[in-house]
Each structure stands twice: as structure tokens, then as C-alpha cells.
Amino acid sequence: MTAPKFTRGEVNVYSSPTDLSRVCAALRGVNRKVVLVPTMGALHAGHRELIRRAKRIPNTVVAVSIFVNPLQFGPNEDLDRYPRALDDDLRACAEEGAEIVFTPDAVDMYPPDAVTTVQPGPLGEQLEGASRPGHFAGVLTVVAKLLNLTRPDYAMFGEKDYQQLILVRQMVKDLHLSTRIIGVPTVREDDGLALSSRNRYLSDQDRKLAVALPTALAAGMRAGPDGVAAVLAAATESLAATSEVELDYLELRASDLAEPPEFGEARLLIAARVGPVRLIDNTGVQLGDAWTPGSQDPTTS
């Protein structure tokens, strides 16, 4: 297949996995680098930032996948009502310069005779995995399929889904895949709330309450010089001031999500329900060393 020529501001939409694979192979054949941006659609400024970061890599073609992956939703989760806005998504991809958009149907990704999945290991059963059994098997399975179809040089993942990022990197390492996984810092609203497609479900009142999550993370981060216990105490105390927020978990881990170190870099993660919406967030924490105000503060980024 001859490598396609792209017109600036236009996207080439493929729904067939075979067609996508052939196009990406043709691009690699003329020494173009493919960068994958996997999404479930309902694109917001955070997704746009992933595309922008991808466009900064020289000699690249950016492929955005838009697929609401049923395998990562539990039986009582929001698969049916997860936001879908394909026309707006295609417009956003064109505006940000993505050349390829992949929009498969579920049967394209999971034929009736498909039985193989990717298991995430012990970390996949912790944190988000404990609250959403089977979630990360669904995530890793679809990511493995997308990486296999596109064979990208790079793939972009947001740090808001931090556990997902760590597990994808582990999968790429374990399966000897050649793609380099790039983590992109969380994009936030002016008041610190992490951008998420699910934010649109928040009522006006719940939207105000949701700021309690980044506020708690910021409080924990500021306590970093005083150690693990102080970080968790500060974040817990901050969150308790907003009783309407129902906490799922608040944990401090090492940067690779192992047990937290006594000193050095760590990651503070939170999941909570605000009204009917379950939100997650996280931030880096420096344990035992001086903290520079505003350096990573979720409420000031």
C-alpha cells in the first residue's frame, strides 16, 4: 500500500483494523514515525494536549483512537451512558493536527471467537483494580491490540490515569514491545480539578464540591517534608472538610506504585464519589526534602 498524503487540517478516518494496520505499515515504510493517542472519545483539553505533545515529535503522523472499550467497564458501571461525541471529536482532532482517527466498532476489536486477554498482575488488583475488578485486564487488552495494529514509535498517556500509565509501561516491557510510552502531566481547570470526560456529569453544586480532591492532594503534597504519615494526615483532614465527598481510597505509594519510600519521590492517589460521579486524581510528592510552593500543586498548575 502506498503511504497516504495528508492535507493539513483534515483527518483520515478508519474503522477497519486491517485498514489502519496497512496505513501505519505504509507510513513506516517511508520512514514516518507513528504516534498513537488512545482515547475513549469525548475529547477535552487534556486529550488535545496529548495530541499537541505528539505533534512536537519530529517526522510524526499522529493517530488518535476513539473507542469506548466495553472490556474495561464493570457490570454496574457507566458504559451505556459514557459520553459519545464523534463529530466534535473529529473536529478537535483536525484542529490539533492529528492525521489519522481510528473509530472501530466493538465487534472489530473483539470478534465473537476472541478469547485472549492481557492480565495486569498483582498491581492490577490494587487501587483502581480493587474498586473495579477486571478493569485493567480490559485496559491492557485493548491497548495491546492498538499497539499491535499501529506499531507506533510512541504512545501518549495522561498522568491523570496514573496506575494505567504504570501498568501499560509494565506490559510494554514484559511483552518486549518496541513502543515508547510517554506520560503527559494532568491538565487541570483553573481551580485545580483534573479534566475528565466524566466531569460533564457533575451538577453545578457537585462541580464545586469536586475541587476537594485536588485540594486534598495539594495539602498532602505540602506535608511531604514531614513524611508519609504527615502526608496522609494532611490530605485526609483536608478532604474531611467536604463531607459530601465519599472517599473510595487515598493512598501514598512510590512512583512505581510500590510501597512508599521514607525519602524521595512518591505518588499520592485519590478516588472519590461526588454525587453520582466517581473521580480519580493524583499528584507527585517529595518526601523528606524541601518543597517548592507551586511546583506541582494541583490547585496552582
Side-chain angles (χ1 to χ4, degrees), residues 71-120:
L71 208 62
Q72 69 190 66
F73 287 80
N76 298 314
E77 295 186 339
D78 58 347
L79 172 61
D80 291 339
R81 72 185 189 99
Y82 192 87
R84 293 163 172 85
L86 183 58
D87 289 344
D88 291 341
D89 291 345
L90 293 177
R91 189 176 305 111
C93 288
E95 290 171 353
E96 298 302 336
E99 292 90 350
I100 293 171
V101 175
F102 180 47
T103 60
D105 291 327
V107 71
D108 297 321
M109 298 301 286
Y110 303 111
D113 59 347
V115 296
T116 303
T117 58
V118 178
Q119 297 304 310

Side-chain angles (χ1 to χ4, degrees), residues 107-178:
V107 71
D108 297 321
M109 298 301 286
Y110 303 111
D113 59 347
V115 296
T116 303
T117 58
V118 178
Q119 297 304 310
L123 179 58
E125 299 176 357
Q126 302 170 28
L127 298 166
E128 281 298 284
S131 297
R132 306 178 66 188
H135 170 70
F136 286 118
V139 169
L140 295 188
T141 298
V142 77
V143 170
K145 287 172 176 279
L146 292 169
L147 294 178
N148 187 51
L149 289 170
T150 57
R151 304 290 176 93
D153 295 88
Y154 306 92
M156 319 296 286
F157 288 83
E159 289 186 357
K160 184 185 77 69
D161 297 289
Y162 190 80
Q163 187 176 9
Q164 171 181 279
L165 172 63
I166 297 300
L167 287 169
V168 168
R169 282 178 170 159
Q170 186 68 48
M171 178 186 72
V172 166
K173 176 184 175 183
D174 290 349
L175 300 184
H176 301 285
L177 303 179
S178 59

Side-chain angles (χ1 to χ4, degrees), residues 34-88:
V34 177
V35 185
L36 175 66
V37 180
T39 83
M40 291 206 301
L43 304 186
H44 50 64
H47 297 109
R48 286 175 177 263
E49 180 64 12
L50 296 178
I51 300 171
R52 292 181 194 129
R53 294 288 184 107
K55 293 292 292 182
R56 294 178 192 173
I57 302 172
N59 192 36
T60 59
V61 172
V62 177
V64 178
S65 63
I66 297 175
F67 177 58
V68 181
N69 176 31
L71 208 62
Q72 69 190 66
F73 287 80
N76 298 314
E77 295 186 339
D78 58 347
L79 172 61
D80 291 339
R81 72 185 189 99
Y82 192 87
R84 293 163 172 85
L86 183 58
D87 289 344
D88 291 341

